[in-house]
Structure formats: structure tokens, C-alpha cells
Amino acid sequence: MVGVDQVLEKLSTVIDPDLKKDIVSMGMIKDLELNSGNLKFTLELTTPACPFNVEIEDDVRKVIGELDGINNFDMKVTAKVMEGRSLDADTAMATVKNIIGVASGKGGVGKSTVSLNLALALSQTGAKVGLLDADVYGPSIPLMLGMDKVNMEVADNKLQPAESNGLKVVSFGFFAEQEHQAAIYRGPIISGILKQFLVDTNWSDLDYLIVDLPPGTGDIPLTLAQTIPITGILVVTTPQDVASNVAVKALGMFNKLNVPILGVVENMSSFVCPNCNENHYIFGQGGAKKISEKYNIPFVGEIPLNSGIMEGSDKGKPVMITAPQSPSAEAFRKTAKNIAAQCSILAARLQEEMKAEATPSTN
Ligand code: ADP
């Protein structure tokens, strides 16, 4: 008769392709019950946005099918996002599992568009997602979400985020009385406001908080990197070499601050001609891939140049909401999954580091 040990041994042959670890040692098998050949357990994936959930689930079914003596098999599949931040009891924002800063070397590369659609793509997988528009010099998220005149509420001394399309949202734009007002603020004030948006806001439980940073390497990215532990930075670039080189400057700053780089995404990558259906690389090909290879950073995706993306952003109707089946939405979805996977990889590394610290040295 098959026993629990054999089941676990078999399950431990299934490897998570991202984490490169077996699913048993990663603690993904929960509530296992085996009674007279009736097997039941929960497979708990590291994120609902895992790019490999179907593959892992299929592998589990396959290996269980290879065991003799299983009459009935019942598997529940769930996901619990891993903590991608080194948190201890009194860390600020301890209920936010992952904080992802979205940076670019210069403006206009589509950083806000990418931040918003990635936040929506993650949220559509079932994850709890917040979006902090920290682009003080051009807060465009309210416009992109069609959020007019938002009055932020304060309860228990905490700012209450607004809600839109399932996202919790805070933007510098909600507070600027006139356009470009924020641009006149100076460094310390701006840093202070950002700290409040992070720490004095009731984000409650979030799996991912996306922070849309201003372009470049100014006070805001610096404050984010130094105020709280964050999971990492996503760098947005366009294929042009010029944009790529400025992106490298941003990378350099985060590297110096020891903030992990989650990956680089190439926006406005190529254009599919609606007439001939051919893919045109208008701005050249492979800028972000070159960066990823040269600096050993994951390449997490490419987003096409598409008028639907632009119109959606500019009219307050993001493509992830209005055209979720479009190739553009699919590109965001794929990128979001790769980013979630990178967060899980960093979280697993953090867990190991913490375990190593907790284990007394034998020397
Ligand atoms: P940034 O935040 O880097 O300044 P935005 O997200 O505000 O850039 O985008 C700048 C402009 O480019 C906006 O009009 C936006 O709609 C457009 N845009 C961004 N990404 C795309 C894309 N993939 N295809 C078409 N237009 C895009």
C-alpha cells in the first residue's frame, strides 16, 4: 500500500522552473491526507501570477498518476504570494508583501503606462495590488484611470487609498491643485510627501505595490530605496540606444544602493502593421535585451507600440480593461507574470538568507 513518504518522494521530483527547487521543500504541498488510497492535498503556488502554474499542476498530476495504489486523487490549487521584502516585526508597511519600483532613465518611455497595465494584469490574476503614482513631475495615473477630482480621505491618521478597477491607488496628482504644481516642490518636501504616501497610507494587505517613479535618479527614487525595504526595481526602456544608455544610469544608482533589479522591460518594442500584419522594429531591435545580457538582469518582456495602448492611456481606459484579449494585453500579462516570478525568486533567496542567519554556525 502506498504511503505518505512515497507520495512526498514522488512530489519532490517536481521542480518549480523559476525557483529551481522542488515543490515539497518549498512548502507548496499543504494539508496532505492519504486514506486507503484516497489522496488529497493543496498545491500552494508562490503567486497567482506564476508563469508556470499550469506546467507545475500538470507535472504534479503526472507524477501522482505514476504511483501505484492511488484510487482517488483530489488536488486544490491555490496561491499565496511570498514575502519579497526583508521584514521584521517593526518594519514599516509590514502588510505589503512586495514593493516594486518602476523606473526609467528618461521621461516619455511609457513608464506610467507600463506601471498601470502591469498593476492591472497582476490584479486580474487574483493578486491584491496597489499603485502609487510617485511621478511628482508628471503624475499621469489619475488621467490614465479616468479618475477625476479624487478627494483623499483620512481615517485613524492614515490616508485611505482611492479604488479603481480593483487597484488601491494614491497619486501625487490627487493633491496638486494645478497642473505641474508639484514641480516647484524641493527635494526634502518631496521626499517627505513620498514617505507619507508609503508609510502613512492604509494600504492594508497587498501582494504587490507598484510605485511609478519619476524618470531619472532624483530624490524620489533615492527616498524609495532608502526609506523602506523594497523587493526591487523594474526598469522600463525603449529600444533606441539613447534610451537604453540613460536606463543604464538609473540601473547604476539602484545597484549602488543595493536595491535588487527585478528586470528590464522594453516598451514600444515593435509595431505590427494593421495592413500587412508584419512586425516592424521602428526604433531598432533588442536594446533592452542587450542591457539585460550586459548587466545580467532578467529581461521580463516587450510591449508593442500600439495605438490602442496610447488611446487607452490618454482616455482613461487602460488596454488591460478595455481589450483584455488583445495582443497588447497579452504582452502585459506575460511581462507581469515574469515580474511576479522574479519577486518569488527574490523572496525564496531572502528566506534562505534568513534561515542561514538563524542557524548557528558550527565553527
Ligand atoms: P512616461 O511615464 O515614461 O513619461 P507615459 O506612460 O506617460 O510615459 O507614456 C508617454 C506617451 O506614450 C503616452 O501618450 C502614452 O499613451 C504613450 N505610450 C506609452 N506606451 C505606449 C505603447 N506601448 N504604444 C503606444 N503608445 C504608448
Side-chain angles (χ1 to χ4, degrees), residues 18 113 127 165 186 214-215 294-295 303 328:
D18 276 323
T113 307
N165 295 290
R186 291 202 291 156
K294 187 163 174 198
Y295 297 93
I303 311 295
S328 301

Side-chain angles (χ1 to χ4, degrees), residues 117-256:
N117 284 289
L118 289 180
L120 290 168
L122 285 171
S123 156
Q124 286 171 3
T125 68
K128 284 176 265 167
V129 184
L131 178 59
L132 170 52
D133 176 10
D135 190 348
V136 61
Y137 304 109
S140 44
I141 296 294
L143 178 81
M144 290 180 178
L145 276 168
M147 298 173 89
D148 257 4
K149 301 243 171 311
V150 176
N151 288 321
M152 302 299 297
E153 285 178 16
V154 176
D156 296 330
N157 280 330
K158 291 259 183 196
L159 199 62
Q160 304 299 312
E163 303 251 351
S164 176
N165 295 290
L167 302 178
K168 287 194 190 302
V169 186
V170 171
S171 168
F172 265 96
F174 295 162
F175 297 85
E177 278 160 24
Q178 60 209 51
E179 226 180 318
H180 308 308
Q181 182 195 8
I184 60 168
Y185 292 149
R186 291 202 291 156
I189 296 181
I190 284 183
S191 299
I193 299 174
L194 177 67
K195 280 182 195 162
Q196 283 196 313
F197 283 174
L198 290 165
V199 177
D200 296 333
T201 296
N202 181 18
W203 291 108
S204 59
D205 293 331
L206 285 185
D207 293 318
Y208 302 99
L209 174 64
I210 309 287
V211 185
D212 180 13
L213 296 166
T217 53
D219 295 302
I220 293 271
L222 201 63
T223 305
L224 177 71
Q226 294 178 333
T227 305
I228 42 160
I230 68 170
T231 310
I233 295 289
L234 171 72
V235 176
V236 181
T237 182
T238 53
Q240 297 99 312
D241 270 336
V242 186
S244 306
N245 285 334
V246 285
V248 167
K249 270 193 212 149
L251 281 172
M253 183 187 86
F254 291 111
N255 267 333
K256 275 197 201 101

Side-chain angles (χ1 to χ4, degrees), residues 107-113 144 267-268 304-306 309-310 313-314:
V109 300
K111 178 183 47 56
S112 301
T113 307
M144 290 180 178
N267 187 32
M268 310 194 205
L305 178 73
N306 177 276
I309 296 180
M310 185 191 68
S313 286
D314 297 353

